Amino acid sequence: MMDVTTQKPSSLQDLARSQTSTPTATKILVENVDFYYSAFHALKTINIVIPDRQVTALIGPSGCGKSTFLRTLNRMNDLIDGTKLTGKISLDGEDLYDKRVDVVDLRKRVGMVFQKPNPFPMSIYDNIAYGPRIHGLTNRKKLNEIVERTLRGSALWEEVKDKLKASAFALSGGQQQRLCIARTLAVEPEVILMDEPCSALDPNSTFRIEQLMEDLKKDYTIVIVTHNMQQAARVSQRTGFFLRGEMKEFGDTDQIFTSPKQKDTEDYVSGKFG
Amino acid sequence: MSVAPPHSSLLGKQSGNVARRKAQNVVMLSLCMLAAGLAILVLGLVLFFLLSKGFSSLHLSLFTRPPDNIDIKKGGMIQSIFGTLVLLGIASCLGLPLGILGGIYQLEAKGKFASTVRFFTDVLNGIPSIVIGIFAYAAIVYPVAQAHPGTGFSAYAGGFALGILMVPTVMRTTEEILRLVPFALREASLGLGATRWRTMWSVVLPAARGGVITGIMLALARIAGETAPLLFTILGSEYFSTHAVLGGHAHVPTLNAPIDALPLRIYNYSQDVNPDRQAQAWAGAVVLISLILVLSIAARFATRGNMQEEK
Ligand SMILES: Nc1ncnc2c1ncn2[C@@H]1O[C@H](COP(=O)(O)OP(=O)(O)O)[C@@H](O)[C@H]1O
Ligand SMILES: [Mg+2]
């Protein structure tokens, strides 16, 4: 993976260094991003360096713009009328919002797992095969391979291998969410965005998904929004704290939780508000 | 020190207010039930009437033979039954693609053009069917008759008129049903890199399949009984006309000529002085109602399948 920061002007290198204690390659670089829902200014001058193959957690009180920010990373906000983004977001050095970028390709590279499990009304198998199929794969053997590999990858294979033809709705909530993760893995993304993936799940399912993230980060860059601070502390290497549309602090997870530089961050992680 | 307000006992005597509200509740519920009961009663009476009048003439020959002008009781109305089915088929070829694609457009598109389309389909929905019949006459039957004297009335003209009548209903139900599909499903598909069209075709439509089919069945049931537009387009016929194809090796029904349909046949026979004809009109009505009932019941089954899937 190419290290983009080396090509950037020094101020950005400083930014990258200030947000990173251990030097790693940059996967996504967010520079001076402002975002508007019509007149509502939802994100204010966001700057973040998201490192390759690590878990980056975004925390902050409800309504502070975490989901909005996450959705700028694969342009899901394009689906909403009247939104506007200024600034620059680049993936491996390429501008995501360049006119020539095809969102279909982008979303293939930057996949997303949503808050509520949202399997398609089809069989478990077809749910996973859907992504590869829309991108043109028809070879049955290859599809079988992908289904097995991604279900193993999302720690669901043992539970469902005998009922791949069963409706995805027959699975429990936690299983459905792991299915959705498998479905995302099936298009072989480089980045996986997760918007509060465990908030609708029981503690046991949550635990399994956290374990899964630990495995996935060997191959994928993960950005996870969570309102659960213990979870952020457990799974992530880097944490960003959002407040009222601003990114108040971004740094190593240990540092954010043990010695936050900002008063707001300290208040939030110590549970004074939220 | 604050004084707690005196609270009434749950088990004590009811205040007048509560008693009145309860009485009101009982009265309104009874009225609702009465209205629902009346609707069922009317349907029951219609069915009872039809069956008592038509059942005795409901012979197998009705479905196998064309009218017999010498021995009336031996004749049937196969050409009318066939005609109605053909008309439903032709109308579907026009009405379903337009209605479903239009409904999808209404769901997906925003802006001036979309709201204009919505307004005009609402207007179209309100146009009396006889006016659609006159339109089909002016647009198809008359020009064809001018170009080729002796032709004009045809199954195609009738199917065209009925197809137009289907469009607004199918469009509206399709749009409303698709709107019920959770946005999360679409997001999931788009998030995997699917295009909007692919998402619609492979995720949203299948998820709403049952509801869309229900809409189609109900639209078909509605046009199956239409009479007025047919007067201007198919004319009616007492014969099951066929013509040779493949050099005389096979005969197929002729669609490019006046054909018959059940509602038209019922209307014609009901005006006949011969009581045997009148009896056949009743029997034809039973057949038509059964066809519509089958479509409505099929619609119910389609929805039920859907419900189970969504659990
Ligand atoms: N589609 C939308 N249209 C207008 N405002 C929105 C929309 N989505 C979110 N917002 C607003 O943007 C702000 C940030 O929302 P969101 O990103 O969902 O917050 P979070 O995920 O941190 O809870 C909130 O004030 C919310 O009301
Ligand atoms: Mg959110």
Side-chain angles (χ1 to χ4, degrees):
Chain A
M1 205 58 56
M2 170 178 68
D3 188 342
V4 193
T5 54
T6 57
Q7 300 175 339
K8 294 285 164 187
S10 63
S11 65
L12 282 167
Q13 283 184 27
D14 291 346
L15 171 68
R17 226 171 281 129
S18 74
Q19 295 185 346
T20 326
S21 56
T22 43
T24 46
T26 300
K27 188 68 186 175
I28 299 178
L29 184 61
V30 179
E31 299 164 70
N32 294 321
V33 164
D34 279 77
F35 184 85
Y36 304 82
Y37 289 108
S38 302
F40 179 64
H41 196 169
L43 295 176
K44 295 163 191 161
T45 330
I46 308 288
N47 287 284
I48 298 186
V49 177
I50 291 170
D52 192 26
R53 286 165 220 243
Q54 295 208 353
V55 179
T56 301
L58 305 176
I59 58 171
S62 186
C64 64
K66 305 178 298 291
S67 298
T68 303
F69 173 71
L70 198 68
R71 294 160 61 92
T72 61
L73 301 182
N74 67 346
R75 294 183 54 173
M76 285 302 269
N77 286 325
D78 290 13
L79 303 174
I80 303 167
D81 288 332
T83 57
K84 192 181 106 191
L85 180 136
T86 63
K88 187 172 171 193
I89 303 180
S90 29
L91 174 68
D92 290 338
E94 290 171 323
D95 185 358
L96 289 191
Y97 284 81
D98 190 296
K99 275 198 218 54
R100 286 163 298 180
V101 169
D102 181 4
V103 288
V104 168
D105 290 336
L106 168 64
R107 292 184 189 143
K108 193 165 174 280
R109 289 174 66 188
V110 183
M112 187 153 197
V113 175
F114 298 84
Q115 185 166 357
K116 251 184 78 193
N118 53 0
F120 299 130
M122 352 170 150
S123 70
I124 294 170
Y125 184 99
D126 288 336
N127 258 277
I128 296 171
Y130 181 82
R133 279 182 179 142
I134 61 175
H135 296 296
L137 184 66
T138 50
N139 184 316
R140 189 83 197 172
K141 232 180 97 206
K142 284 208 180 113
L143 284 175
N144 290 345
E145 230 172 77
I146 291 176
V147 170
E148 176 166 351
R149 178 166 47 79
T150 57
L151 281 173
R152 284 188 192 282
S154 63
L156 193 58
W157 177 250
E158 291 305 323
E159 289 152 71
V160 303
K161 65 179 179 208
D162 299 322
K163 48 176 184 179
L164 293 176
K165 291 281 165 241
S167 164
F169 291 123
L171 300 174
S172 73
Q175 289 174 323
Q176 286 187 9
Q177 193 64 305
R178 275 179 282 149
L179 177 70
C180 291
I181 293 174
R183 182 176 68 186
T184 304
L185 296 181
V187 294
E188 296 176 354
E190 297 155 32
V191 181
I192 303 175
L193 310 175
M194 298 185 170
D195 193 349
E196 303 193 28
C198 303
S199 68
L201 305 182
D202 59 274
N204 189 35
S205 306
T206 301
F207 174 68
R208 302 203 57 167
I209 289 189
E210 286 180 9
Q211 274 186 321
L212 182 56
M213 274 188 264
E214 187 62 33
D215 285 343
L216 291 178
K217 79 164 200 274
K218 293 181 194 113
D219 302 308
Y220 303 91
T221 301
I222 297 177
V223 185
I224 175 175
V225 166
T226 173
H227 58 212
N228 176 335
M229 279 175 285
Q230 287 77 25
Q231 181 170 64
R234 282 192 300 263
V235 301
S236 73
Q237 287 72 56
R238 223 58 65 78
T239 296
F241 171 60
F242 278 71
L243 187 63
R244 289 186 291 272
E246 288 175 66
M247 211 207 47
K248 284 286 178 184
E249 190 167 350
F250 189 85
D252 282 1
T253 299
D254 285 345
Q255 177 254 311
I256 295 283
F257 283 95
T258 55
S259 51
K261 295 184 183 122
Q262 303 272 335
K263 179 81 172 55
D264 285 329
T265 317
E266 189 181 335
D267 288 349
Y268 185 73
V269 298
S270 61
K272 286 211 183 104
F273 70 92
Chain B
M1 202 175 127
S2 67
V3 183
H7 38 227
S8 57
S9 154
L10 277 177
L11 302 174
K13 203 172 146 286
Q14 288 169 355
S15 70
N17 198 0
V18 171
R20 203 178 65 231
R21 288 205 315 250
K22 276 194 169 169
Q24 219 171 33
N25 183 39
V26 169
V27 170
M28 289 316 289
L29 278 180
S30 312
L31 282 177
C32 291
M33 234 156 87
L34 191 69
L38 272 178
I40 293 182
L41 185 71
V42 170
L43 179 64
L45 279 179
V46 169
L47 287 178
F48 174 75
F49 237 76
L50 276 180
L51 282 176
S52 64
K53 296 267 195 182
F55 196 74
S56 53
S57 327
L58 209 55
H59 303 302
L60 189 64
S61 59
L62 210 64
F63 302 91
T64 57
R65 292 174 52 83
D68 189 327
N69 285 326
I70 296 149
D71 190 350
I72 289 177
K73 282 187 168 171
K74 265 197 177 162
M77 42 179 70
I78 183 176
Q79 90 288 11
S80 324
I81 296 170
F82 175 78
T84 286
L85 294 177
V86 164
L87 286 173
L88 290 183
I90 296 175
S92 300
C93 290
L94 175 73
L96 295 190
L98 281 185
I100 292 176
L101 292 177
I104 292 175
Y105 177 77
Q106 293 279 271
L107 178 78
E108 291 283 306
K110 298 172 192 89
K112 260 223 148 56
F113 183 64
S115 54
T116 315
V117 171
R118 185 186 307 271
F119 175 73
F120 279 105
T121 48
D122 283 349
V123 172
L124 185 61
N125 203 13
I127 293 180
S129 58
I130 193 162
V131 175
I132 302 291
I134 296 171
F135 168 68
Y137 180 84
I140 297 188
V141 179
Y142 186 73
V144 170
Q146 290 291 302
H148 309 278
T151 65
F153 294 106
S154 69
Y156 304 114
F160 174 73
L162 295 186
I164 293 180
L165 284 172
M166 275 181 91
V167 171
T169 334
V170 174
M171 208 157 144
R172 200 19 93 79
T173 49
T174 303
E175 183 198 346
E176 267 157 24
I177 294 294
L178 293 183
R179 205 174 282 288
L180 294 181
V181 174
F183 187 68
L185 271 188
R186 279 195 243 182
E187 259 185 345
S189 172
L190 294 165
L192 289 167
T195 59
R196 275 165 85 187
W197 170 247
R198 183 66 195 238
T199 300
M200 177 55 65
W201 186 252
S202 303
V203 174
V204 181
L205 264 182
R209 192 180 54 232
V212 172
I213 292 175
T214 303
I216 293 171
M217 294 295 177
L218 294 179
L220 283 175
R222 199 196 137 217
I223 60 163
E226 280 292 348
T227 320
L230 301 182
L231 291 171
F232 291 96
T233 50
I234 66 170
L235 196 62
S237 165
E238 299 212 316
Y239 309 101
F240 195 139
S241 24
T242 58
H243 61 270
V245 291
L246 300 172
H249 289 297
H251 286 261
V252 297
T254 311
L255 301 183
N256 197 14
I259 62 155
D260 214 32
L262 275 170
L264 269 189
R265 191 57 26 208
I266 295 167
Y267 174 74
N268 284 334
Y269 282 1
S270 70
Q271 307 295 309
D272 206 298
V273 286
N274 188 321
D276 288 340
R277 286 279 195 236
Q278 287 173 17
Q280 281 184 339
W282 285 109
V286 173
V287 174
L288 181 58
I289 280 272
S290 310
L291 179 71
I292 291 173
L293 227 54
V294 166
L295 287 172
S296 306
I297 292 170
R300 281 250 11 180
F301 270 95
T303 346
R304 208 172 60 181
N306 207 39
M307 293 299 177
Q308 276 169 349
E309 210 167 292
E310 275 158 25
K311 214 172 44 161

